[in-house]
Amino acid sequence: MQKIFEETHKDANSNARLGLLSLGHGVVETPVFMPVGTNGTVKGMYHQDVEKIGYKLILGNTYHLYLRPGMEVLDQFGGLHAFSNWKHNLLTDSGGFQVFSLSGLRKISQKGVSFQSHIDGSKHLFTPEKVVDIQKVIGSDIAMCLDVCTPPEISLKAATEAMHITHSWAERAILHRNSLGESFRGNLFGIVQGNFYKELRKESAQFFNSMEFPGIAIGGLSVGETKEQFIEFLAYTADIVTKEKPRYVMGIGSPDYILEAVENGIDMFDCVLATRMARNGAVFTDDGVVVLKKAIHKFDARPLEEGCTCTACTQYSRSYMHHMVKTGEMLGGMLATEHNLTYFYRLMEKVRAAIAEDRFSSFKRDYLARFYGR
RNA sequence: GGAGAGGUUCCCGAGCGGCCAAAGGGGGCAGACUGUAAAUCUGUUGGUUACACCUUCGAAGGUUCGAAUCCUUCUCUCUCCA
């Protein structure tokens, strides 16, 4: 197994760390936030602008891309990089989360997960092997194992069963990856599950520590639990997952969740929040979230955030952004998305600088105090 | 001048004797959004001393136990004919 991660600095007063993640389409500095581009596009953004902000690693989604445009199209174009003209790294989620969020349409068995398309209702089966195959065609630099993600407050029995299926699927995914040899060029990551039971989290983390995965994700968080639960289980799980490999918490977040993860030594995270909230008219700033549709911005000539380099902040006022949002113009969502992605990129730059200077914990405390207006 | 249609809560618009403070949109306001079935969804939108009362369906008067709904007059708008 090839080593793709190198820790370059460890914060003196917390578990936060800096690292370099070497992937098929370039090196990525960690901790890193990855924008989500489910359908081969970060909604509302040109790839060139995502790149210009500085992002070198974005997400795609196996489930969505498999349904549309389908494997034949992606195969013809030689993968998603060429098809979507994205020159940097791609991480694809396995569809495990869709298995969870589209739960009304799916059925899980030891064999795999059968589900109905949310688009046309057609029936499909995902097995751990098939999901590896799909991500091979997509050309993912990081591919995720098919897993079973579960919501909070399920029984120990149900959580155990879901975890065991996740583990057996991981073993099969590894075997299948190995059988593909050189033709599978991505890095297959395992996903720790275990719901909100510490004994299961421990078992799952140890299981994945022992497996031949180049990176490990902590899954099953940010699925509807309280923030206290999130913090508790993040810290507990992160403490057990090996520090030799890149560690990825899936599906976060907001600045508080991200900083919490970084403090626990997490290297990677992705979230739709930045882009979705932008499309719904809310932008992030160091002073908190600004809801653009509010009348308070109607005559405000200031930019969204002083000093921000994005298009909205350098060329338009809050008043204009308010107008864009109120009128439902496409440009509003586009500008807000670019702003939010710029915001999160700069936040991560500040995070990395703080770690480099061994002051992450105070940075986190001060940042959140300002963000939440205290 | 003649004939017809119509004036409903911020706007459009349903209602055509009681279940109407009045459907449904829109707009406004508030909230949610965390491995994207989301440029989406939810709540709220006359007043108050609030499981009740008050004011409200162009205006005034009338019929009725009861009227946004029926009658009379007035007023305004629109369409057609002169």
Side-chain angles (χ1 to χ4, degrees):
Chain A
M1 182 182 60
Q2 194 186 345
K3 188 173 163 70
I4 60 170
F5 179 77
E6 180 194 353
E7 180 181 304
T8 55
H9 181 79
K10 163 86 172 39
D11 182 73
N13 308 302
S14 76
N15 288 320
R17 62 180 184 173
L18 296 176
L20 293 174
L21 187 59
S22 302
L23 302 171
H25 290 79
V27 177
V28 177
E29 288 182 67
T30 65
V32 63
F33 169 74
M34 305 175 284
V36 179
T38 302
N39 285 308
T41 166
V42 177
K43 294 183 193 298
M45 293 286 293
Y46 288 114
H47 271 160
Q48 66 205 46
D49 290 338
V50 174
E51 176 185 25
K52 199 154 75 185
I53 291 169
Y55 289 106
K56 297 288 166 51
L57 173 55
I58 66 174
L59 263 70
N61 194 288
T62 300
Y63 167 85
H64 298 264
L65 294 166
Y66 161 80
L67 292 178
R68 282 190 305 208
M71 291 303 98
E72 296 81 2
V73 172
L74 289 170
D75 197 28
Q76 178 188 313
F77 283 84
L80 186 59
H81 285 91
F83 184 59
S84 70
N85 194 26
W86 172 249
K87 296 176 179 62
H88 305 282
N89 294 295
L90 281 170
L91 181 156
T92 41
D93 187 23
S94 61
F97 185 73
Q98 279 60 48
V99 170
F100 162 69
S101 67
L102 278 53
S103 58
L105 303 172
R106 61 90 164 106
K107 194 173 167 187
I108 297 169
S109 69
Q110 197 55 238
K111 182 181 178 190
V113 53
S114 58
F115 59 90
Q116 280 186 274
S117 160
H118 70 277
I119 300 161
D120 62 4
S122 54
K123 293 190 169 77
H124 303 271
L125 173 70
F126 269 5
T127 63
E129 294 84 5
K130 182 167 181 176
V131 164
V132 168
D133 286 334
I134 295 170
Q135 293 178 96
K136 178 190 162 192
V137 172
I138 291 172
S140 314
D141 297 288
I142 294 174
M144 303 304 298
C145 280
L146 187 64
D147 65 330
V148 182
C149 188
T150 52
E153 287 166 23
I154 63 168
S155 69
L156 176 62
K157 183 166 177 281
T160 306
E161 190 178 321
M163 183 190 74
H164 284 147
I165 291 176
T166 296
H167 291 181
S168 81
W169 287 357
E171 287 170 335
R172 283 163 56 190
I174 284 258
L175 280 176
H176 190 65
R177 177 202 66 183
N178 291 346
S179 76
L180 294 174
E182 291 295 302
S183 71
F184 184 86
R185 297 199 306 273
N187 297 284
L188 185 66
F189 279 30
I191 306 174
V192 172
Q193 287 293 344
N195 197 261
F196 297 93
Y197 293 99
K198 286 186 177 169
E199 63 270 37
L200 298 187
R201 284 280 164 184
K202 184 176 184 181
E203 181 181 342
S204 192
Q206 289 173 340
F207 171 87
F208 281 100
N209 283 348
S210 71
M211 302 281 291
E212 283 188 10
F213 288 109
I216 297 179
I218 297 174
L221 291 179
S222 192
V223 289
E225 76 280 14
T226 64
K227 185 176 173 183
E228 289 68 34
Q229 274 182 303
F230 168 81
I231 290 173
E232 182 183 353
F233 280 84
L234 167 69
Y236 181 80
T237 312
D239 195 46
I240 304 168
V241 171
T242 179
K243 294 177 177 61
E244 301 300 308
K245 298 173 182 177
R247 295 138 48 96
Y248 165 28
V249 171
M250 310 183 77
I252 62 165
S254 45
D256 53 340
Y257 276 47
I258 287 178
L259 297 183
E260 198 65 41
V262 169
E263 191 166 44
N264 282 284
I266 301 304
D267 308 298
M268 309 160 62
F269 18 78
D270 72 282
C271 198
V272 305
L273 196 66
T275 46
R276 180 182 289 167
M277 281 186 55
R279 276 176 279 120
N280 293 335
V283 292
F284 287 85
T285 75
D286 287 340
D287 294 299
V289 170
V290 175
V291 179
L292 289 170
K293 66 185 171 188
K294 286 182 183 291
I296 191 176
H297 306 114
K298 191 169 182 179
F299 296 100
D300 196 337
R302 297 176 303 158
L304 298 179
E305 182 153 43
E306 211 63 60
C308 177
T309 54
C310 83
T311 307
C313 290
T314 54
Q315 297 185 35
Y316 302 105
S317 60
R318 287 191 180 199
S319 174
Y320 184 72
M321 292 300 290
H322 172 254
H323 176 237
M324 288 295 98
V325 169
K326 295 296 281 188
T327 51
E329 287 293 334
M330 282 192 269
L331 186 61
M334 293 164 63
L335 289 170
T337 300
E338 186 197 331
H339 171 82
N340 279 352
L341 290 182
T342 303
Y343 164 85
F344 276 99
Y345 191 82
R346 294 195 319 154
L347 175 63
M348 296 316 298
E349 284 183 324
K350 285 180 249 185
V351 162
R352 292 193 294 265
I355 298 170
E357 295 165 15
D358 294 313
R359 54 176 176 82
F360 179 76
S361 291
S362 63
F363 168 80
K364 178 191 172 209
R365 186 190 62 234
D366 295 346
Y367 189 86
L368 293 179
R370 179 176 171 187
F371 188 84
Y372 290 107
R374 287 189 294 267

